[in-house]
Amino acid sequence: FSAVPLPLLIQASEAPHHLLTSAASDDQWSHSVFTLIPSWTKKILFRRESSVNHKLPEDVSSMSVSSRFGITLQKCGVVDVEHDPQTAYITLLINNTNTLLSTNITDLILLDNITGLHVEKNSGNKTTDGIQIYRKGFLQGGEHFSVNYSALLDAKEMWDGRVLILPAKLTFKSPSQNKTHLVSLTASFTITEEEKTKVNSVHAIHASGFFIAFFVSLILTCALIFIVYRTQISKWSFCSQNQEIQHELSQNHKLEHSQFTSGDLFSEDIIMNDQIIDILSFEESGNMLQALEDLEIASLTRADADLEAYRMQICKEVIAMMLKNLVLSHSLFPHVEKRISSVFKKQFLAMEKEIQEEYERKMVALTAESNLETRKKMEAQHQKEKNANEEAEELMKKMNEKPAVEYRSLLDRLHRLEQDHLKRFLLVKQEEHFANAYRQLAVTQRKELHNIFFTQLTNATFKGELKLEAAKTLMEDYSKIQGDIEELMDFLQASKKYHLNRRFAYRVYLINNIQLRDSQASALINAAATQISSLINKMERAGHLPESHLEVLLDQAEAEINSVKQKFDHDLKQEKQKLRQKLITKRRQEMLQKKEQQKEQLSHGDPFKITKEVTHYLSHWKNLLNDHTIGFEELIEKLDNEATEELEELLFSLTEKTVEELKRVQYGVFVQELVKLSVPKMFLLEAVEEHKKEMIVKHEQLEREECDKSTAAEELLQLTRQNLSQELETSLLEQKKLRSWEQSVFMQLLSLPLSLSEEEMLRMRQELHCCFSQVDSSLAWPKIRARALLQDFEVEWRDTELLKVDQNLALTNKQLHSKVKKAGSRNRNKIDILKKSLQDKILIYEDAMKGENLDKVS
């Protein structure tokens, strides 16, 4: 990375150019929801004309979104369009200069898509799948960094309407409240090429146009006569004709490249999965489950985005297959199929652009609204803290130092808890708003796809390109296949939900194992440390140690114990850091290898080569995608288990070393000190042997407890997996019944003796398909909504409890003022009452709600 002065602007010599720019914001909560959704961003057109004597109109668009973290990722470019080959000058900018919001960030990984470009000079590493990787360990708040490079556009691959989607993705870690969050940003960068030819008013061109038109008409007429002749007298060659047409369709009119084969090599789900290593390694024991729940929401959101992409691509490919099957059945001419398919592609592209623009508008509006709400609530919180601190300062002037320090410490602790809960409240609220917006856009996109199909079907029939019988057959086939697609998506969604819930349950089990090992390690170290002071006290009680030496030896013992424990904490942290790098490297390698294998299976050709039957096509993808999900989840479970085992082995090894070090301190240091102080050796040896037996008993006791708890956790895991399997079967059965009811309603409506025109019947079919495509639920939304409802109830419960504390404080102060007359006594009593009030509030924030209150939420 190299620093560049701001503002950033690059120009390509003096040639006419277009400035292409896009930005993605890092919202403080963006890692939890919407940055994991596929980026829908505005596309800026890059125009390419074939005339030489012309001027290219300049089309400049720029979009930048501020964020709570204040970190912005931008991908900007300038294209020189007059020189051959055309050259793009591109800059990637990470801006961390927001003076109010900037913070230090670490572990920056920037992935830049350069598919279709030939990079000339850059400082990144180009991979086989068109991705450049840039890494930086640390970026300080207030700084900015950029990467500059130039690239040649592939002239051989250019065609009118080609879309180059070249996003840049940035992941980094940002510390917050003793926690480290993995944040992901995406800056989109899209080029759409359009061919425009300048027409000069020359008579020779008019003449040549006339002759060309004449000969084309003659050739078409001859071809039509030949087709009719072959159809009438050579029906025996029907099969061979089908083969010729199929070959033509396959060679000259290939289906649009499937999104199934366009997976990002360094996809976000792989990088996001690294978080489980951080949770198992560095998260505080009490925060592990909360961090795991946040990761689960991110995984569910990502899965929703993948499933929606599958749905859209399957629908588009199915429409293309239906049109090609009409050609094979001689219900549609190949050139008409080409034209209709081209129209569909343009309509789908226009739909995607509209959805992308709407997504941008919603995200910008929601982010601004959320930032405004955050600013207001945080300002109110800071003002509340300021008032409380001023009141505390006045009060502390009238009291002794020790009570004042204790009161101030409690007040600061309460303020930290209030801020943490406020941030959590804003996080969940924003998460809910973004999830709801994404669901609405997904439903809109499904409806628009149906609208496009029925509109184009009507237009083609009206123009005479599609015969009425063929249109009716196409419409009926579409209705039937849509039902099959909905069943397929129900299955894929239920299967994905089952596997993600299974993954979550297994990770809860692994966290339980880690916590058991942590507890066992702490117990063993504390037991070994306690024996040192116990030995000293035992010698004093037996009368072998003068009282004058007792305090000195106890202070020395405490210092030695603290030194050993600090070394243990330091070594554990250092070794975990090394192990983390090793685990993540291994994890990414194996996951990328699995992704590559699956990608290869998905790229064996277009759907029309797989099968000509749409039902077989759907069955093929059902089996393949389900197999991929199972394979990937098995790999993740294996990697999670291996990581947990290595962390447990590390903890066990360092714990043993620490216990041995404490034994050395006891036997090698304090036993010798006691001998110097004339303590009888036999008495010391008896005490030491007793301590050794106690440690053996303690170790056996802890192992039994760990074994019992581990067995109970395994039984709970097995029970959870059984319940998940039953839930999968039940949900599939219920959804199947719902789809059957849909089909029944659909058929009944069509069979009703309604006096509707063909146009009205078509509109009714369209509305029914739009309605039926919404009869499902996203994976993330139910959990996000449940979290929001639970949080609302918690806030209401907490406010009620805090109000009770404030009322009790006011009543107690009133009674104190009437009973105690002396100012000094009143101040001492008042500080005690205030401390008790702060302690009660801290307990309210720290304690979870009672079970009977939680039941009300569910």
Side-chain angles (χ1 to χ4, degrees), residues 117-182:
L117 302 179
H118 298 289
V119 177
E120 293 181 304
K121 292 181 181 180
N122 70 304
S123 58
N125 299 319
K126 182 177 177 182
T127 71
T128 55
D129 282 335
I131 300 289
Q132 290 186 118
I133 313 165
Y134 301 91
R135 301 177 187 272
K136 185 169 180 64
F138 180 77
L139 180 60
Q140 187 173 345
E143 293 184 352
H144 59 273
F145 283 90
S146 75
V147 177
N148 304 312
Y149 64 90
S150 59
L152 303 178
L153 275 69
D154 192 345
K156 295 180 180 178
E157 295 296 326
M158 287 185 177
W159 70 83
D160 183 35
R162 184 177 75 144
V163 178
L164 289 178
I165 300 176
L166 308 173
K169 295 182 182 180
L170 171 69
T171 61
F172 61 88
K173 290 184 178 177
S174 176
S176 173
Q177 300 291 331
N178 298 323
K179 294 175 70 175
T180 300
H181 297 294
L182 178 69

Side-chain angles (χ1 to χ4, degrees), residues 304 307-308 311-312 438-440 442-444 446 485-494 497 731 735 738-739 742 769-782:
D304 277 329
L307 288 171
E308 201 61 35
R311 173 190 286 272
M312 288 297 108
Y438 176 66
R439 172 63 181 178
Q440 291 175 2
V443 169
T444 300
R446 296 178 192 181
I485 291 175
E486 295 300 336
E487 286 186 11
L488 170 62
M489 296 311 302
D490 289 342
F491 173 81
L492 292 178
Q493 187 181 69
K497 180 181 178 182
S731 64
Q735 198 69 8
L738 185 58
R739 296 298 180 189
E742 284 180 3
H769 284 303
C770 290
C771 292
F772 293 160
S773 66
Q774 303 175 46
V775 186
D776 69 337
S777 177
S778 67
L779 296 174
W781 172 248

